[in-house]
Structure formats: C-alpha cells, structure tokens
C-alpha cells in the first residue's frame, strides 16, 4: 500500500514515528512535509497531499494536525477525497469498510502512539465492503 503523509507543526514531532510504523507494516511512504516544526497552516499541507493522492490512483493519505479536525475539513473539500477522522481501531475499520476512506486523519493531541499504531494497522488490513455502502458513498459528493 502506498501512503502520502503530511502534518502541520502540531504533529511534526510524530511524523517520523508514523512513517516508521507504516514502513514496518510493508507500506511505501512519501513524506510531503513539513520539514521542521516551524508554524504552518494545515490547509496548505492537506491540499498538497490531496492533489498527490488524486493523481496517484490507488494511493492513500495520512494527515495529522493537533486534533485532526482541520486536516479532515480541508481534505474533504476535494472531489474524490474521502478523509476520515479516526480516533481508534474501530473508527479506522469502519472508515475503510463502510466509507471507502482514502485518507485517514488523526490528532497528535488526541491519540497516543499505541492507538495510532492500531489505527494504521487496522486501516491497512480493512477493505471496502461495497454492496449497500457503495451507493451511499456515491451519494456523498454533490455537483
Ligand atoms: C494548531 O494549533 C491546531 O489548530 C491544528 O493543529 C489543528 O488541530 C487544527 O484543526
């Protein structure tokens, strides 16, 4: 599985640990920044990542800020992006199985590394169920 990852300054400090977890799980990871902990605006990184995920069919994204809220709000402005704010393994599982999420968001100030590891592992191992969920997912976007 290929992931693009981006954070803001609030989550910069955990970015390399998250990349390590993903690589240990056999994923390819592309780091879209930031490159240091200087203050940045989360929408800039959310939009940068969404453009890459949309260009690279079959890829996924991880967006992390303080709460995960700002990143998910910005990402979901993109047609074709389904960014799920996850708090635990259950929400990560549902994000894939029911919502066909292609981006996972979480908050560095909300979840610890143990929970983050279980979110990532579950997201990777879960698959979209299709069926009745497909019709619902197709209804998310409006012209
Ligand atoms: C930064 O202080 C914080 O607002 C940001 O990381 C994020 O939580 C926004 O949703």
């Amino acid at each position: 599985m290929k992931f693009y990852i981006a954070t803001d300054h609030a989550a910069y400090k955990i970015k390399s640990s998250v990349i390590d977890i993903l690589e240990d799980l056999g994923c390819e990871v592309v780091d879209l920044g930031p490159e240091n902990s200087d203050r940045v605006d989360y929408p800039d990184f959310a939009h940068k990542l969404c453009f890459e995920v949309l260009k690279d069919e079959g890829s996924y994204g991880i967006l992390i800020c303080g709460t995960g809220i700002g990143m998910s709000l910005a990402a979901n402005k993109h047609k074709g992006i389904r960014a799920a704010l996850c708090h635990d393994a259950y929400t990560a599982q549902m994000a894939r199985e029911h919502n066909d999420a292609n981006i996972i968001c979480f908050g560095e100030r909300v979840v610890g590394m143990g929970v983050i590891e279980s979110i990532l592992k579950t997201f990777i191992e879960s698959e979209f169920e299709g069926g009745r969920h497909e019709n619902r997912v197709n209804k998310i976007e409006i012209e």
Side-chain angles (χ1 to χ4, degrees), residues 42-43 46-47 50-51 54 63 69-84 102-103 105 140-143:
Y42 58 81
H47 296 317
C50 289
F51 288 128
L54 289 168
L63 288 168
I69 296 171
M71 285 294 201
S72 57
L73 290 173
N76 280 311
K77 292 293 178 188
H78 292 255
K79 193 175 165 69
I81 291 295
R82 291 173 301 282
N102 50 8
I103 293 189
C105 304
I140 291 173
E141 276 174 12
I142 49 172
E143 292 307 318

Side-chain angles (χ1 to χ4, degrees), residues 63 65-70 72 83-95 103-120 122-123:
L63 288 168
C65 59
T67 59
I69 296 171
S72 57
L85 177 54
C86 295
H87 304 293
D88 48 34
Y90 179 70
T91 46
Q93 182 184 344
M94 290 300 108
I103 293 189
I104 193 165
C105 304
F106 49 85
E108 188 274 341
R109 297 172 184 161
V110 181
V111 287
M113 282 314 296
V115 172
I116 290 172
E117 192 164 352
S118 65
I119 286 173
L120 298 174
T122 305
F123 189 83

